[in-house]
Each structure stands twice: as structure tokens, then as C-alpha cells.
Amino acid sequence: MTALPTATGAAPVAGADHGTPAADARRDRVDVHHHYTAPEWIDWAERNGVVRREKLPPWTRWSLDDALALMDGAGVRTSVLTVAMLGRLQEPKARKESAHVALRAAGDLVREHPDRFAFYTPVFLDSPELSLWSIRHGLDELGAVGVSARTSVRGVYLGHPSQDAILAELNERSAVISTHPMEVPGGDADLEGVPPFLCDFLMDTTRAALSLIVNGTLDRYPNLTFILPHGGGFLPYIASRLEVFGHHLSPPVEPARVRDCLHRFYYDTAGPMSPSATPSLLAAVGPERILFGSDWPPTPAALVTGVTAPAFDQDPALDGEQRRRINRDNAHRLLPALAAAATGSV
């Protein structure tokens, strides 16, 4: 495998005390948290009156050149794309056409750059019919490596029984489900001046994980694997609290089961994962359950290459072997198609 170029302005590599780049895979990362708003989808959505281009947030302006520059600057070999579709389409035919356009663009991108990109096909928690189509089209026809799901839709969390048809299909496929949080449903109770990504997203992720536990989803669908973003929200850091107060849940969760449940999830580093948080996450789940995530482009490229990736590389709680697992090896074990693409064996 050829070495990845380092983009101009990328952060310097840490010294020998933290392991060499080759040993800890910091130039060979897999980014499991990369948002992809296809330019083709933007064109379609504008033509159909779904969005106005000039009103979209800056992170929707995804381009191949910008993506590759970010990846090279952050030492990312492969990015797994979460396919974004903005707007609140509800009419079934329009929603399916929207998903078809976005998935076709993702599939084309991966075919053109199989060693640099992979993608998740989306599921829609409020539409089993559209979800089953997306699962079959994305996984079977376009080669998606897993699925993506919101942690909640209009206050209904991942794991609710209304989603059983979706989860049963995914369980049959032993699917990997990458989750992403939303604003915590609060009506008029939003905290003015505090953007939702600061703490709402962490709470929404935590609520989704607890929903999967108390609804018995992890037991009923044992072949599913869930990736929790942003270090799992608050979940790893309230593990002891969950053990003590699990009997207050309905149904109750026995203390002995809490750690088993935590080890059913993977946790990405997007957010970022700070040195102060790393020991708690390692203590809760171990280095084999953590994955590298950039959260680009909502997290700007300069922040990824200049702050979050270097902070991870220099985190004193991690040794070179642990970093290599988080940077690459865990993702290759979880998503074997990525390892095959990286070595050119597909």
C-alpha cells in the first residue's frame, strides 16, 4: 500500500513516545463518521423544490476534492459515508426518489474510488416500507457496508417495537447500524444560546442506547451491531450509575447485565474524544470497541486536522497498539469489506 500524502497545513506527527505512524495506523485510518451530502442530490432537491441551495448549512457543500484533502490531511485512508438527505419529505414516492438519487450518487462514488470510500445505506425509523427498500437496494445492489439510522424520529427512539420489521431484516443480515443523534425533543424547553450538538446530541445518543436495552432489542436481535457516535454520548460515563439504578428501569436491568450491554455497542471518537474522557471509555468498553470518527464536514477540516486528530494521536491514555486498533483494525474487523478494498482484493 502506498503512503498517503500529507496535506499542506496538516498537523505534525507526534514523537516516538506515542508510536510511529506506521505502527499506530495514523496515516491509514478508517473514518466511520463522515457526512455525505451528494452534489447530485442537492441538484435534484433544488429542482424539485425540496431545498434552496443558498439556505443550506455550509456542511452540505460536500465535494470530492475537499473530502480527499481532509482525508489526506487527517491520515484517513477510507471514509465510510453517512448519506444525508435534508428536508422533511413525507410523501412516500418523493421520499423514495430522494433516497434513490442519494444512494446512486454514493454507489457511483464508491465504484470510482473503492479504496477511499464506502457508505451506509439509510433506514427510516418511521417507514418500514422505505427502509426495507433501502436495505435491499443499498446492501444487495450497491454494495453498502452497513446501514445508518437516526437515534430518534419525532420522539420515538431506535429500538421501539414499531421498528421490528426493519430490525428483523437487519438481524438476518448481521448488519452494522451506524447511529446519529438528533435534538432532544423538548418543545419550548430548548436552552437558548446552546446549540444542540453541544449536549442534546449526547443525550439523544444515550437515550437511544437505553431504548435498545430496555426494549430488549439487543436480546431479540443478537446479530445486530450498533455504532454509537461521539463516544457513546453519556452512556459509558454513567455505566456505574446504570448498574446501581437499573432496577428503576422498566423492565429492570440487572447490574450484571449492564457491562454486557455496553459491549454490544461500538463507540466512535467524533466529537472529539478528549484525553480527559478516554480513561472512562476505555474502562467501560476497552479499546477493541472504539472506532475513529471525524464528523466532517460539520466539524470543519481545520479542526479535524489541527485539533481533534492530533489530540487523539497524543492522548496519553492510549498506547500504539490501542491507537492502531481504533484507527484501523477495529473497523476492518467490524466491516471486512473495507480491509478487502484497502488491499485491492475486491
Side-chain angles (χ1 to χ4, degrees), residues 10-338:
V13 172
D17 289 345
H18 302 288
T20 65
D24 61 22
R26 74 182 65 176
R27 305 303 306 162
D28 200 26
R29 305 188 213 261
V30 175
D31 179 3
V32 301
H33 192 143
H34 179 125
H35 293 270
Y36 172 64
T37 307
E40 297 92 332
W41 183 87
I42 297 288
D43 293 340
W44 173 87
E46 192 167 50
R47 286 197 307 270
N48 286 273
V50 176
V51 300
R52 292 175 58 188
R53 190 183 305 261
E54 67 275 11
K55 297 292 185 180
L56 291 174
W59 59 263
T60 63
R61 301 185 184 108
W62 191 98
S63 76
L64 177 59
D65 288 345
D66 288 344
L68 291 175
L70 175 280
M71 291 163 65
D72 292 345
V76 173
R77 176 67 184 182
T78 307
S79 289
V80 188
L81 311 177
T82 297
V83 179
M85 290 163 281
L86 286 77
R88 302 294 180 184
L89 290 169
Q90 292 301 315
E91 197 279 318
K93 183 177 179 181
R95 289 184 84 182
K96 184 174 181 179
E97 185 178 355
S98 171
H100 191 275
V101 170
L103 285 174
R104 183 174 61 225
D108 289 345
L109 179 66
V110 171
R111 278 193 297 273
E112 293 167 4
H113 304 276
D115 60 333
R116 302 308 304 271
F117 297 104
F119 74 99
Y120 306 114
T121 194
V123 296
F124 306 85
L125 301 184
D126 59 344
S127 178
E129 181 179 2
L130 181 58
S131 294
L132 294 175
W133 171 84
S134 180
I135 291 167
R136 292 160 187 164
H137 182 57
L139 293 176
D140 299 339
E141 299 175 23
L142 299 179
V145 297
V147 306
S148 60
R150 293 180 175 179
T151 46
S152 65
V153 174
R154 292 188 293 276
V156 177
Y157 278 87
L158 183 63
H160 189 273
S162 63
Q163 302 151 16
D164 279 354
I166 302 170
L167 296 172
E169 175 74 15
L170 293 171
N171 188 67
E172 287 294 317
R173 297 166 175 270
S174 298
V176 173
I177 304 173
S178 175
T179 64
H180 199 279
M182 306 298 294
E183 296 181 27
V184 173
D188 296 328
D190 294 335
L191 184 58
E192 186 177 355
V194 179
F197 65 78
L198 190 64
C199 59
D200 279 22
F201 281 11
L202 304 181
M203 178 58 75
D204 205 57
T205 296
T206 305
R207 286 184 171 189
L210 292 174
S211 174
L212 291 168
I213 294 170
V214 299
N215 281 299
T217 308
L218 302 181
D219 298 323
R220 288 182 293 117
Y221 303 113
N223 299 328
L224 295 179
T225 302
F226 296 89
I227 301 174
L228 301 179
H230 311 130
F234 303 125
L235 183 66
Y237 318 105
I238 63 168
S240 297
R241 187 177 180 86
L242 185 57
E243 288 173 325
V244 172
F245 296 112
H247 63 283
H248 287 286
L249 301 176
S250 182
V253 176
E254 294 299 319
R257 292 199 60 239
V258 170
R259 300 290 165 168
D260 290 338
C261 290
L262 263 64
H263 280 83
R264 284 293 306 278
F265 301 114
Y266 279 78
Y267 305 78
D268 79 34
T269 66
M273 187 173 81
S274 68
S276 63
T278 306
S280 296
L281 186 55
L282 289 174
V285 303
E288 67 277 0
R289 309 298 291 187
I290 307 173
L291 305 164
F292 181 84
S294 73
D295 207 1
W296 185 82
T299 299
L303 187 58
V304 174
T305 60
V307 178
T308 63
F312 173 75
D313 291 338
Q314 300 170 36
D315 192 327
L318 298 169
D319 60 30
E321 180 182 354
Q322 292 170 329
R323 257 186 284 271
R324 186 182 68 248
R325 289 183 182 185
I326 297 168
N327 277 328
R328 181 193 62 208
D329 293 355
N330 293 342
H332 280 184
R333 185 184 70 252
L334 180 63
L335 301 166
L338 302 182

